[in-house]
Amino acid sequence: MTDTQPRHPTDADHRAPDEAPDYTAVVERALAALDLDTKVRLLSGQDMWTLPAVPAIGLRSLVMSDGPVGVRGREWNAEDPSVTLPSPTALAATWDPALARRAGHLLAQEARRKGVHVLLAPTVNLHRSPLGGRHFECYAEDPLLTGAIGAGYVRGVQEGGVGATVKHFVGNDAETDRFTVDNRIAPRPLRELYLAPFEHIVELARPWGVMTAYNRVNGATMTEHRPLVQDVLRGEWGFDGVNVSDWTAARDTVRALRGGLDVAMPGPRTVYGAPLAEVVRAGEVAESEVDDAVRRVLLLAARTGCLEGVPAAVGPAGVPQGIDGRAVAREIARRGCVLLRNEPVGGARRALPLDAAALRGVAVIGAAAREARVLGGGSATVFPDAVVSPLEGLRAALPDDVEVTFAVGADPRTRVPHARDGFTLRARYLAADGRVLAEAPQTDGKVRLTGRLPEGVTRQDLSAVELTGSYLPRLTGSHTLAVSGTGELRLTVGGAVLFDGRLAPGSSDPFEAYLRPAQRRMTAELTAGESVEVTLRCAADGPQTGDGPALPAFALGHGEPQPDADAEIEEAVRAAACADVAIVVVATTEETESEGFDRRDLGLPGRQDELVTRVAAANPHTVVVVNSGSPVELPWRTEVPAVLLSWFPGQEAGAALADVVLGAHEPGGRLPTTWPARLTDAPVTTVTPDDGQLTYSEGVYIGYRGWQRSAPAPAYPFGHGLGYTDWEYESLDTTPDSVRVRIRNAGDRPGREVVQIYLAPTADAAPDAPERPARWLAGFAVVEAGPGESAEAEIPLPDRAFAVWEAGDGGEAADGGWRRVKGVYRVEAAHSVADRRLTAEVTVG
């Protein structure tokens, strides 16, 4: 028997980084050389993604980019593809900060390749309610897990010489009315839950940036929230980086500056720039207050190598490079896969992993099997060079003598997908007199201009954009065409005008209107093998983002002739009945899970639930792969022997799925958020404001903390996940400062276990102890061991794990303090919050 050592969030790799170079002198020299007008320009974006250069002081333009799962760069198109990692929920499901750090290294490499200096990530808001539309972009329902994964990610990015921007500070836990909602959060949950991940990351990773959110918290909009930004973030925690607004979030010049906002984005028209110079000259604010913000911008420039004459915070010799992006994407995808259920099929052998040698036929079913949803919608969007679909991955990995059949079964989409297969397209940028200003190839039918325009095109000259080219049909019949966007659109197919009119925004939320615009569909009778010319013209009438006419954002959609929906399910059932195993991939879509709006329910879209039930009845060996970024209801979960959660798995989706399903690798994931059986069982379901306010009346009882107070058990609890081996928890030794857990791999293959430590107050708690959850996560460690081997994990119990926040008389989050609650606690070593294996007690004095 041998021991292996664990990886966990307190390893040396995850201590606070070494001190950066002292840039004080060079920043002060640069600041002294600037006049007021130049200073205020530095606090306002010069365009969608950049800050201005000041050559006189050696300051280069600083470039920002969205980037939770990849680095898009300044352009919203596929001309410069990005390595696309799995969703943040998948990364959190690994429970491995070291892997998050490696993901950060890769993203820094991508950022440097694209000339990006600051990554607008990670998103560390909590999963307060399963209805949160952007939860796929956040990590978890627990603040400790969120903070640990976020700190690993930030360290990795910044060790690559690129700034990380932790967002959205704070309380942006839902999308409904996010620009105006006032989230009413009491001081205790604000401190113990929502601020905690930010505090953890500031302490452990020292991020170079924080992004303040659109919403209000307790009456003050976050871009003007002096108590939380100046007093807590900067004063109490010592954050020395740049505070940048979410895009268009800054509202008032004086209140924003006094509230601690450094940079207002995007530019050039913001509350800073000329308006800020005006209020300084009018005596409403002192120039010294502007100087404080400029110092932080210059410090960021120095750290990222944008200020000449000083070394960047990370020199070339210290920057990780040569990282294989596909390999990292594949590893995160398989490590993040959560095996929710794995029951025996026709004997002792469990449904997974499959024995490829015993297979003769595999039915792969579901629209998402052929075209997986690999990332979430909204600002997290990037464009991978290629995507390995589940169908492709399984076909490539299975032996040649295994017949793989495919059936759509049920399509989850209600909107027509963007034109892609069979289309050869280019975008032409036109002046008012019809001149072609520029031309560029298009990989699909979606045109979004949010960054730099093509060379030779200015916003003043641009009158329209044409998406034009040809389509070679694969099938004869009635093809569906669709146009979407805002403004004047004209679609011509084969010389015939199919649409000519104006589309209005489909939502009052400008981002939802931009990301999920109104769509109009029509049909065209086309013949297989006969190419047809297609042109979609859009006037420059899209969302306004700065000087000049608004930029177009529009799309051409296309769908092939489809058989009857009942016939598609019948075809899938026949394929399943003839196969040794049926693998059904079910999914959400951008219509149900995206930035810009919250979900209305947790149901899988379309007839996917019916599809699973019918296939399971036809083949007892049915494996269901759930391709979603957040929880969905699985009403058929007990009807199938295996359920595997792949989240949004990134560009290597199919390769990673084949690794796990065929047993080359173990599904390593554990749930970072509770999965309800029904939405109505969830402890928090309110995401819609009432008269402009959203009251967090549940206090500290979100996620598993709330589930433990309610009668119904969830479908799958926080921390749950099965592997391909069994673990015996052998011993638990504890002190008030740490625990040591010894476990043994009792199976016949190597495995990885996430040892979770929970604290639970006992009846012997202090008489004046406040009400607390039944238990809470206090630490965790990832351990590995071979068959029969044991592993030990030593996990610290931080002082904060025994503390509660007690508000002061002022009622603000900055008033009050942490109180260590004395008494006797149960220390529980667990496989999940509901599967606790060993218990000990510790007395805290």
Side-chain angles (χ1 to χ4, degrees):
M1 182 181 297
T2 60
D3 292 340
T4 60
Q5 295 302 311
R7 294 196 306 272
H8 54 74
T10 56
D11 282 345
D13 281 347
H14 302 287
R15 290 196 297 266
D18 295 335
E19 291 293 334
D22 185 355
Y23 294 115
T24 303
V26 70
V27 165
E28 291 302 321
R29 283 198 301 271
L31 178 64
L34 301 176
D35 60 23
L36 175 61
D37 291 320
T38 306
K39 292 175 187 176
V40 298
R41 280 199 304 115
L42 285 178
L43 305 184
S44 185
Q46 69 175 349
D47 53 30
M48 181 64 76
W49 303 114
T50 71
L51 295 183
V54 183
I57 61 170
L59 178 65
R60 293 186 291 274
S61 178
L62 192 145
V63 180
M64 307 179 196
S65 171
D66 285 319
V69 300
V71 183
R72 189 173 62 243
R74 285 184 273 183
E75 314 302 332
W76 197 302
N77 58 51
E79 289 185 26
D80 184 9
S82 308
V83 174
T84 304
L85 301 179
S87 62
T89 42
L91 182 60
T94 69
W95 289 59
D96 192 344
L99 186 56
R101 183 182 177 194
R102 288 177 53 212
H105 289 162
L106 169 65
L107 293 174
Q109 176 178 281
E110 281 282 280
R112 295 193 309 274
R113 180 178 67 82
K114 293 195 172 196
V116 168
H117 308 107
V118 176
L119 204 56
L120 302 174
T123 304
V124 299
N125 301 108
L126 297 184
H127 297 176
R128 173 178 172 263
S129 165
L131 291 176
R134 203 172 182 178
H135 280 355
F136 63 86
E137 194 179 325
C138 310
Y139 290 127
E141 67 186 27
D142 180 80
L144 175 63
L145 177 58
T146 296
I149 298 296
Y153 181 105
V154 169
R155 282 187 56 99
V157 170
Q158 294 186 171
E159 285 167 349
V162 175
T165 310
V166 189
K167 62 185 187 182
H168 308 85
F169 190 78
V170 64
N172 184 187
D173 310 301
E175 295 295 282
T176 304
D177 295 344
R178 60 179 174 161
F179 294 95
T180 58
V181 62
D182 182 9
N183 293 324
R184 311 300 292 192
I185 313 174
R188 184 180 169 195
L190 184 57
R191 281 286 190 157
E192 294 184 17
L193 297 179
Y194 303 102
L195 286 170
F198 292 93
E199 181 182 9
H200 189 100
I201 294 168
V202 168
E203 177 185 355
L204 290 187
R206 298 183 189 140
W208 300 345
V210 162
M211 179 187 290
T212 43
Y214 294 115
N215 54 278
R216 299 175 183 268
V217 172
N218 299 330
T221 187
M222 282 310 306
T223 52
E224 302 166 9
H225 210 306
R226 186 178 183 89
L228 290 181
V229 174
Q230 296 285 56
D231 299 343
V232 175
L233 176 63
R234 288 208 174 103
E236 184 182 327
W237 300 347
F239 171 68
D240 67 351
V242 165
N243 174 16
V244 59
S245 74
D246 205 341
W247 266 223
T248 73
R251 294 165 172 84
D252 182 89
T253 302
V254 175
R255 290 198 301 269
L257 189 69
R258 294 265 168 84
L261 182 69
D262 297 322
V263 175
M265 291 293 289
R269 293 181 179 176
T270 76
V271 299
Y272 287 167
L276 180 53
E278 183 178 337
V279 297
V280 171
R281 292 186 172 112
E284 295 181 52
V285 298
E287 188 168 353
S288 61
E289 297 176 84
V290 175
D291 289 347
D292 287 341
V294 175
R295 282 188 182 93
R296 290 187 282 267
V297 172
L298 293 173
L299 175 59
L300 177 62
R303 284 170 163 167
T304 56
C306 290
L307 189 60
E308 293 177 4
V310 293
V314 181
V319 171
Q321 52 192 330
I323 304 168
D324 185 338
R326 292 184 58 187
V328 174
R330 186 169 179 170
E331 181 178 358
I332 294 172
R334 67 186 179 228
R335 291 270 307 277
C337 275
V338 181
L339 184 57
L340 298 174
R341 178 178 170 85
N342 195 21
E343 298 297 312
V345 178
R349 184 178 176 84
R350 296 185 183 275
L352 291 176
L354 300 178
D355 181 3
L359 296 175
R360 291 296 175 265
V362 174
V364 181
I365 297 167
R370 184 171 58 190
E371 187 175 350
R373 184 170 181 204
V374 301
L375 49 78
S379 60
T381 300
V382 293
F383 301 91
D385 180 52
V387 171
V388 182
S389 72
L391 180 60
E392 292 170 328
L394 290 166
R395 278 181 169 158
L398 285 165
D400 292 340
D401 61 351
V402 177
E403 182 182 5
V404 178
T405 59
F406 170 74
V408 170
D411 192 331
R413 297 171 297 195
T414 57
R415 290 170 66 92
V416 181
H418 298 125
R420 184 176 290 110
D421 294 340
F423 283 83
T424 302
L425 298 170
R426 62 190 184 278
R428 302 200 316 159
Y429 300 83
L430 307 175
D433 60 5
R435 287 180 297 116
V436 177
L437 302 172
E439 194 167 331
Q442 285 282 130
T443 58
D444 63 15
K446 181 167 57 178
V447 177
R448 281 179 177 159
L449 302 179
T450 62
R452 294 173 300 179
L453 290 169
E455 186 175 350
V457 180
T458 67
R459 301 188 68 161
Q460 289 72 24
D461 292 339
L462 182 63
S463 175
V465 178
E466 279 187 353
L467 182 67
T468 187
S470 62
Y471 171 57
L472 184 64
R474 188 175 63 92
L475 300 175
T476 296
S478 182
H479 289 245
T480 300
L481 281 302
V483 297
S484 60
T486 301
E488 297 287 345
L489 294 160
R490 178 184 175 92
L491 174 64
T492 306
V493 178
V497 176
L498 299 188
F499 181 83
D500 189 358
R502 171 176 286 273
L503 291 182
S507 171
S508 59
D509 182 325
F511 277 76
E512 181 178 359
Y514 183 66
L515 298 169
R516 191 172 63 167
Q519 187 179 77
R520 190 73 57 85
R521 61 178 66 191
M522 60 285 306
T523 59
E525 297 298 322
L526 303 177
T527 303
E530 294 185 6
S531 181
V532 60
E533 297 299 311
V534 178
T535 298
L536 175 59
R537 179 188 177 95
C538 180
D541 191 25
Q544 181 73 41
T545 56
D547 291 337
L551 295 174
F554 64 100
L556 170 67
H558 171 261
E560 290 185 326
Q562 297 294 317
D564 175 78
D566 289 334
E568 288 194 323
I569 291 182
E570 292 295 340
E571 180 187 0
V573 170
R574 288 193 297 271
C578 296
D580 297 316
V581 60
I583 300 175
V584 185
V585 183
V586 296
T588 60
T589 71
E590 291 188 11
E591 304 158 37
T592 56
E593 199 177 354
S594 173
E595 178 183 355
F597 55 91
D598 291 312
R599 293 193 283 174
R600 297 181 178 88
D601 56 53
L602 302 184
L604 285 168
R607 298 173 65 179
Q608 295 180 101
D609 288 333
E610 177 187 353
L611 172 66
V612 172
T613 297
R614 294 281 305 279
V615 168
N619 189 327
H621 197 169
T622 293
V623 175
V624 181
V625 179
V626 182
N627 179 197
S628 73
S630 305
V632 291
E633 293 176 358
L634 309 174
W636 34 260
R637 65 186 183 281
T638 61
E639 301 171 18
V640 298
V643 181
L644 182 68
L645 171 58
S646 68
W647 308 101
F648 294 153
Q651 69 178 58
E652 299 301 311
L657 179 64
D659 287 343
V660 169
V661 168
L662 298 179
H665 292 272
E666 187 179 43
R670 305 293 184 266
L671 286 179
T673 198
T674 307
W675 275 51
R678 296 170 297 277
L679 171 62
T680 53
D681 295 341
V684 182
T685 58
T686 303
V687 294
T688 301
D690 181 8
D691 196 24
Q693 292 187 351
L694 182 61
T695 301
Y696 287 35
S697 57
E698 69 283 351
V700 298
Y701 295 97
I702 69 167
Y704 65 88
R705 292 168 169 84
W707 280 97
Q708 293 175 120
R709 300 180 89 196
S710 59
Y716 301 105
F718 177 80
H720 172 72
L722 306 174
Y724 290 157
T725 189
D726 297 314
W727 294 91
E728 291 184 359
Y729 281 58
E730 296 182 324
S731 65
L732 169 62
D733 299 313
T734 183
T735 73
D737 301 316
S738 67
V739 299
R740 183 180 293 273
V741 183
R742 186 178 182 87
I743 66 174
R744 184 173 64 86
N745 183 346
D748 58 2
R749 59 174 288 159
R752 175 184 288 109
E753 173 72 328
V754 178
V755 178
Q756 303 163 40
I757 301 298
Y758 296 89
L759 290 180
T762 70
D764 295 323
D768 61 343
E771 181 185 7
R772 287 176 289 176
R775 57 186 47 80
W776 55 88
L777 184 69
F780 58 91
V782 179
V783 300
E784 299 178 2
E789 294 180 344
S790 291
E792 280 193 351
E794 185 170 357
I795 304 170
L797 293 178
D799 187 71
R800 182 66 61 81
F802 300 98
V804 297
W805 179 261
E806 291 191 338
D809 295 335
E812 292 281 358
D815 301 322
W818 292 100
R819 172 193 167 196
R820 183 178 171 93
V821 181
K822 301 176 182 179
V824 179
Y825 292 81
R826 285 194 310 276
V827 180
E828 301 168 337
H831 176 75
S832 77
V833 72
D835 184 2
R836 302 178 294 277
R837 304 288 180 87
L838 295 174
T839 301
E841 288 190 348
V842 63
T843 300
V844 174

